[in-house]
Amino acid sequence: MNEKERSIFAKKVTWVGFYSNAGLTAFKIFAGIQGKSAAMIADGVHSLSDFLTDIIVLVGFQFIEKPADDEHPYGHGKYETLSTLVISVALFLVGWRIFSSGVGTIYNILFNDLVLERPGVIALVAAGISILVKELLFRYTKSVGEKINSSAVIANGWHHRSDAFSSIGTLLGIGGAVILGDKWTLLDPIASVIVSIFIFKVAYEILSPSINELLESRLDESDMEEIQAILINMEAIVSFHCLRTRKIGYYKAVEMHLEFESDISLMEAHDVASLLEDKLYAALGENCIITLHLEPRSEENQIEAVI
């Protein structure tokens, strides 16, 4: 699948989320105001952040789908990593906004005699609708993200799931306050604080790998083991060194030096290197950028394989 095809899938699923989030944001904020629910208003703000991250993904893929050029010989895959990073930071900010607001409300109820009105049923209905819609969006977006191997689309899917988590907490808080009466309205802000913790967790899980990619970390351990196993089983290659790997958005870059016996012909070495490339593509996927340097075996300096 080329970048153009990936972009078409990514934009389609993101536009579905875009329009869904626009409707949910308006409805949830309206329900929060009408139903006098701080948790539902916070939930609506979270949906607004989903709406904004949809825009980030759409803009990001405008760059990602561009082919490699003289200034970007490895393509524009880092825009995908950058989009993922922005989404995770947006999640952290949303989580902090919900957390600080909830804690502040709890403090004022306990120590400043703040009295919250019992939330209305409309807020409860909005939470239920949000859970259903956002869970469906999560499953759809994540499946497409995995199909096209897009970290940005998968991250956006988890943003939908975090909104579903948010709405579950909101549903429990509002439901408790509605059913149990005015003395239990404290459950509403407590629910929003619990929700924020889930959001922080999801944000961290998305942020960590995107930072590693931007810092040029090597491929994960399973990929490195695959590469090592392939090299060990190729008898014509005496040894290898200067092995470097990294992610470039959708692509996996692999570079290494291969040592051959000095009496092997250039054509034979080339054929072995071509076979190695085929094996690496088969193991790591077609989305690889492989660079091999061939050199004769050095009798004076035997270099062991380094992973």
Side-chain angles (χ1 to χ4, degrees), residues 51-68:
F51 176 73
L52 296 175
T53 54
D54 287 335
I55 295 175
I56 291 170
V57 173
L58 289 169
V59 172
F61 267 90
Q62 289 295 110
F63 294 96
I64 295 165
E65 67 183 17
K66 292 181 178 180

Side-chain angles (χ1 to χ4, degrees), residues 212-213 217-227 245-247 252 284 307:
N212 285 337
E213 284 186 30
S217 295
R218 72 179 191 177
L219 299 180
D220 60 39
E221 197 61 37
S222 62
D223 284 337
M224 298 301 293
E225 289 173 359
E226 287 270 17
I227 295 170
T245 64
R246 59 188 172 126
K247 283 288 295 294
K252 297 175 181 179
L284 305 178
I307 292 292

